[in-house]
Amino acid sequence: MTIPIKYSSDFETALDLGRPPNVKKLFPSSKALLVSGKYIDQAMLLKGNSMTIAANGRNSFVIKGALAAAQRANAAIMIEIARSEGGTGAYCAVSLWNIARQTDAFMNELGITIPVAIHADHFGIKKPEDIEPAKTEIVSLFDAGITSIAIDASHMPDDQNLLANLELFPFIPDWAGLETEVGEIKGKLGLSTDEEALFLIQGLNAHNIFPNWIALNNGTTHGIEASDTGINVELTALIHEALSKYKVSGAQHGTSGNNSERLREIASKTRTTKANVATALQMISWGLKVNDYGNALLDNGNFIKQKDRGVSEDMWTDMLAYAKINDLKGGDFKKLNLPFENKLLAQPKKIQDRMAKDVEEFVFGLLTTVFNTSDTAQIVIDEILKNKSHDLGFKAEKIEKESEWTKEEIIEKASEITADKGPEGDFDD
């Protein structure tokens, strides 16, 4: 016999007041507290020296495990998928259009009562021609339950990056969390500068756009870290301080492979409130051996599959065979997600449960001992009750003059920026 979950009166009120209209429309009878990314950012700022996980749900086991961990830690978190992973050219079965539905369903199934934002990460704009079709696509994402988005036009020159953000902003609901980005995430090359970051944030500010987060190229990479160089904490702190009067928080991409002490420094020494974790969670769900900070270990260039962990041994053999036929190596193993999701869901429940449980244990450790995220769930609920709305409003105010940030002025200002974008390449996710 299943014992009904007893929800507190505060939770019930927060559920009524805090869920955005798109979420209420999609899930009218749900007990999942899906909220704007603004509330998640605010909770970390109020706690101080705290950032939460943006768990990259490349498969359903990652989503379940991250939610269970957050419930144990009483932590507000974000569940996300990047456009390259779950967009129209996806390599994951979890998509930008089903991630909210999956998260809502798992939260109701598991009795999850912590607040969660659903984030569309790295909504990439790589050339001006991408902007027009993006307008329709962004609207469709919010129709599908997204509550936060990252407009990533960092692949383009600084002026085009800013202009793309300005053109796409009207298609994002005012209540939604917003992330912007300067500098592609590509490791030690093409590092972001305070000059570039100020240009982007000042230009947005002049047009009444106040992002919750800015993502930087601060020395890390996506995927598997080849070295221990990782995040440049000092650079991150310097840029965040330069932006301080604009009240924008940091979004840390590429945390997988960075050691715990460096991640603690990001939380304690910078204004970062959101830390993306993707590759580590994928590898852990499959049962691969990782070090204490989630970087997959190799034996003669091969991943190490742990017996009785993650997927079944037969399934891993099939995955390796598929990878060999399709010449997938290293970080490209991420492309196993789409062809194998349904096969993983067809495994015995015992195996599925252990896949999610290993993710849960890893995420719980991050939230409680590294990110300082424990007990931020109640902060979100308290803020919803105080504001009596799903819309937290803006945490910043207009400082810059719009007349000084016309299209012509933007192009001229950008021409005076000295920056090294680094080499071209595939730096998605």
Side-chain angles (χ1 to χ4, degrees), residues 43-209:
M44 304 308 133
L45 293 172
L46 288 173
K47 180 170 184 181
N49 299 321
S50 173
M51 61 187 184
T52 194
I53 191 171
N56 197 287
R58 289 182 181 175
N59 64 47
S60 55
F61 310 98
V62 167
I63 298 174
K64 289 185 76 170
L67 291 171
Q71 184 73 13
R72 283 172 58 192
N74 193 31
I77 66 167
M78 304 180 77
I79 300 292
E80 69 176 23
I81 196 83
R83 191 184 193 189
S84 58
E85 297 163 324
T88 53
Y91 61 77
C92 296
V94 177
S95 79
L96 288 165
W97 295 275
N98 68 32
I99 193 167
R101 296 179 185 278
Q102 288 202 40
T103 303
D104 182 87
F106 287 141
M107 290 176 73
N108 281 280
E109 173 191 338
L110 301 173
I112 303 295
T113 55
I114 50 94
V116 177
I118 307 296
H119 186 69
D121 196 39
H122 283 302
F123 191 88
I125 304 295
K126 296 190 176 183
K127 55 186 184 299
E129 292 75 19
D130 292 342
I131 296 174
E132 197 59 37
K135 295 175 181 178
T136 301
E137 192 169 323
I138 288 170
V139 172
S140 76
L141 300 186
F142 285 95
D143 287 344
I146 293 295
T147 67
S148 181
I149 190 169
I151 301 298
D152 178 8
S154 64
H155 300 76
M156 300 195 294
D158 291 306
D159 54 347
Q160 293 181 38
N161 182 2
L162 173 53
L163 291 169
N165 273 266
L166 294 177
E167 191 167 349
L168 291 175
F169 181 73
F171 300 90
I172 301 168
D174 286 343
W175 53 259
L178 176 63
E179 180 179 336
T180 191
E181 184 165 329
V182 58
E184 293 178 77
I185 310 302
K186 58 178 73 171
K188 64 182 180 180
L189 303 172
L191 295 179
S192 301
T193 66
D194 54 350
E195 185 182 18
E196 289 179 284
L198 273 168
F199 171 82
L200 178 58
I201 296 302
Q202 287 174 337
L204 293 174
N205 182 278
H207 291 268
N208 290 298
I209 301 174

Side-chain angles (χ1 to χ4, degrees), residues 41 150-151 154 161 165 178-183 185 192-202 204 210-218 236 239-241 243-244 246-253 271-274 395:
D41 177 38
I151 301 298
S154 64
N161 182 2
N165 273 266
L178 176 63
E179 180 179 336
T180 191
E181 184 165 329
V182 58
I185 310 302
S192 301
T193 66
D194 54 350
E195 185 182 18
E196 289 179 284
L198 273 168
F199 171 82
L200 178 58
I201 296 302
Q202 287 174 337
L204 293 174
F210 315 112
N212 293 90
W213 303 279
I214 184 169
L216 311 170
N217 177 16
N218 57 356
T236 308
I239 295 176
H240 287 184
E241 186 58 34
L243 298 171
S244 59
Y246 300 97
K247 299 182 180 179
V248 60
S249 302
Q252 182 59 58
H253 290 217
R271 299 176 189 272
T272 303
T273 62
K274 171 180 178 282
K395 61 179 178 177

Side-chain angles (χ1 to χ4, degrees), residues 284-339:
I284 290 167
S285 74
W286 292 346
L288 303 190
K289 191 172 184 179
V290 301
N291 58 22
D292 68 333
Y293 42 93
N295 211 24
L297 300 178
L298 301 175
D299 180 13
N300 292 322
N302 299 314
F303 295 118
I304 303 168
K305 170 65 169 70
Q306 300 176 98
K307 187 177 170 77
D308 299 325
R309 302 284 288 273
V311 302
S312 69
E313 305 311 308
D314 287 343
M315 184 65 67
W316 182 241
T317 299
D318 290 347
M319 293 169 77
L320 287 177
Y322 183 96
K324 184 175 182 179
I325 291 171
N326 291 277
D327 196 28
L328 303 180
K329 299 174 183 177
D332 282 339
F333 265 53
K334 63 189 180 183
K335 294 180 181 177
L336 294 173
N337 281 288
L338 181 58

